[in-house]
Amino acid sequence: MKKMLFIMNPCAGQKRANRSLSDILLEFSQAGYEVNIHMTTGRGDAVTAAQRWGRDVDLVVCCGGDGTLNETITGLLRAGAETPIGYIPAGTTNDFASSLSLSGNVVQAARDIVEGEPVTYDVGRFGDRYFSYVASFGAFTKSSYVVPQNIKNALGHTAYVLGGISELSQIRKEHIRMEIDDQVVEDDFLFGAICNSTSIGGILTLDPKHVDMADGLFEILLVRSAQNLAEIADCIQAVQSQKYNCEMITFRSARSVKIYADPEMPWTLDGEKEDGHGEIMVENLHHAIRLMQRKKDA
C-alpha cells in the first residue's frame, strides 16, 4: 500500500476544510493510500513534520494556506526529499493555487491530487529560507501577517484588503539597491516583489503571459516613490492594464537578485514575516519541487 503524509492546518482560512475532512480522507483511502495525519499546532510545525517524515512516504499532501504550503516545501527541501507534493488550498487568499488554477473545492482538490501527475516548479531561496511564490516589501505586504487569524477567518479576502488600506497612512519609501543578474537598479521604492506567481496577496495580479512558474526565472516588480500626481495616474493605469511600461515601475525577469536595504525593513515570504537584512541573496531553484496536478486532458 502507498504511504501518504497528510499535513493539515486546522486553523487555515475559514476552517472549511475541517468540515470536509472525512470526505478528503476517503478520496485518499479509495486511491490506495495509507494516510498518516499530522495536524499542525503552531508556526514551524509543518516544517518539522515534512522534514522528519517526508522522505519515508510516496506523497506529501498539504491542506492549508500559502503559509502551510511554504512550511511543507521548506521541510522537504531541508530533508533533501524529492517526494511529490499535493496541495489542497484552504487558506484565505491562496495565491499559489490561483496561479495554477487548482480547485477551490477541497474534496475536488484531493481527487485531483490522486488522479493527477507530478509537475515540476521553481522555488525561491531567500538567504536560508524558501518561498513558493513571493518575497515582498513595502506597501500592503504587512497585512498578511498583521491581520489576526480570527479576523481572516471571519472576513476572508476582505481582511487582506482592509489590512492593506490601513497601511496607507504608514507607507514609507525604502531605498533599495538590487543587482538583478547583470543589471543594477537603485532608487526609493514604495513596494517590491520578487515573485513566481500571477497573484500577490490577492490584490495585485501579473499578466500570465509574463509568468512561467517553471522557467528558472523570477518576475521582479518594483514601484518607486511618485514625484507628482501624473506619475501616480500612470502607475495605476499600468497596474490595471498589466502593462508595466511607466516611469514609476521597474519590471524584470532574473535568475538571482542581490539586495542591499535597510536592515530594519521587514519582508514577507509567502505571507509570513521575515526580518530585515542589510544584504541578502535571492536565488531561483529551478525545478525544485514536484506538485501533483490534474492531467490537462482529464
Side-chain angles (χ1 to χ4, degrees):
M1 179 174 283
K2 297 174 291 185
K3 292 185 178 182
M4 175 191 296
L5 172 61
F6 180 69
I7 300 175
M8 180 174 179
N9 178 356
C11 297
Q14 296 174 310
K15 301 184 179 181
R16 56 193 175 89
N18 301 24
R19 298 187 289 271
S20 300
L21 181 57
S22 60
D23 292 327
I24 291 171
L25 296 178
L26 180 61
E27 291 288 339
F28 297 148
S29 295
Q30 289 178 335
Y33 282 97
E34 175 187 324
V35 184
N36 298 307
I37 303 172
H38 181 85
M39 293 288 179
T40 63
T41 57
R43 180 169 293 181
D45 198 20
V47 176
T48 302
Q51 186 170 359
R52 183 174 180 181
W53 297 300
R55 295 174 62 94
D56 302 325
V57 296
D58 300 289
L59 179 64
V60 175
V61 173
C62 164
C63 181
D66 293 323
T68 310
L69 176 64
N70 174 289
E71 290 195 7
T72 300
I73 290 173
T74 295
L76 290 175
L77 291 177
R78 287 181 179 175
E82 297 181 358
T83 310
I85 303 168
Y87 181 35
I88 300 177
T92 306
T93 57
N94 305 308
D95 282 317
F96 185 83
S98 297
S99 295
L100 295 177
S101 299
L102 301 184
S103 177
N105 180 303
V106 293
V107 178
Q108 182 61 53
R111 189 174 303 126
D112 290 343
I113 289 169
V114 297
E115 294 179 355
E117 57 188 4
V119 180
T120 56
Y121 289 104
D122 303 337
V123 168
R125 180 164 56 201
F126 185 97
D128 60 358
R129 286 188 64 182
Y130 300 97
F131 61 93
S132 60
Y133 76 97
V134 70
S136 62
F137 68 85
F140 310 118
T141 56
K142 289 198 298 183
S143 58
S144 59
Y145 61 81
V146 170
V147 178
Q149 185 63 53
N150 62 327
I151 300 299
K152 294 180 187 178
N153 290 348
L155 298 180
H157 173 65
T158 305
Y160 281 87
V161 177
L162 294 177
I165 292 173
S166 70
E167 285 185 49
L168 287 173
S169 62
Q170 305 172 33
I171 291 176
R172 67 173 192 175
K173 57 187 178 183
E174 301 283 357
H175 190 82
I176 307 291
R177 175 186 168 90
M178 286 193 176
E179 297 175 0
I180 305 173
D181 285 342
D182 58 350
Q183 297 181 326
V184 175
V185 176
E186 184 171 3
D187 212 325
D188 293 331
F189 297 104
L190 296 178
F191 171 81
I194 304 166
C195 57
N196 194 36
S197 168
T198 60
S199 178
I200 305 172
I203 298 174
L204 180 65
T205 59
L206 299 180
D207 188 336
K209 291 186 294 185
H210 294 307
V211 180
D212 182 341
M213 297 171 68
D215 63 354
L217 299 173
F218 295 122
E219 278 63 55
I220 302 171
L221 180 69
L222 301 169
V223 181
R224 70 168 177 79
S225 179
Q227 303 298 318
N228 51 59
L229 292 176
E231 285 193 344
I232 295 176
D234 288 344
C235 181
I236 293 173
Q237 182 178 6
V239 170
Q240 290 177 338
S241 66
Q242 297 181 336
K243 296 179 180 179
Y244 312 110
N245 54 359
C246 74
E247 290 295 325
M248 278 187 65
I249 295 179
T250 297
F251 188 75
R252 298 280 191 278
S253 294
R255 290 180 174 82
S256 64
V257 187
K258 192 168 187 179
I259 303 164
Y260 302 88
D262 182 350
E264 299 300 317
M265 181 191 77
W267 288 78
T268 300
L269 306 183
D270 292 346
E272 301 296 323
K273 184 179 180 181
E274 167 69 7
D275 292 336
H277 299 267
E279 180 181 326
I280 192 75
M281 189 72 179
V282 185
E283 300 172 282
N284 184 295
L285 303 181
H286 190 38
H287 288 179
I289 60 171
R290 295 190 296 154
L291 188 80
M292 299 299 293
Q293 281 189 263
R294 187 177 182 83
K295 298 176 182 178
K296 292 182 179 180
D297 58 350

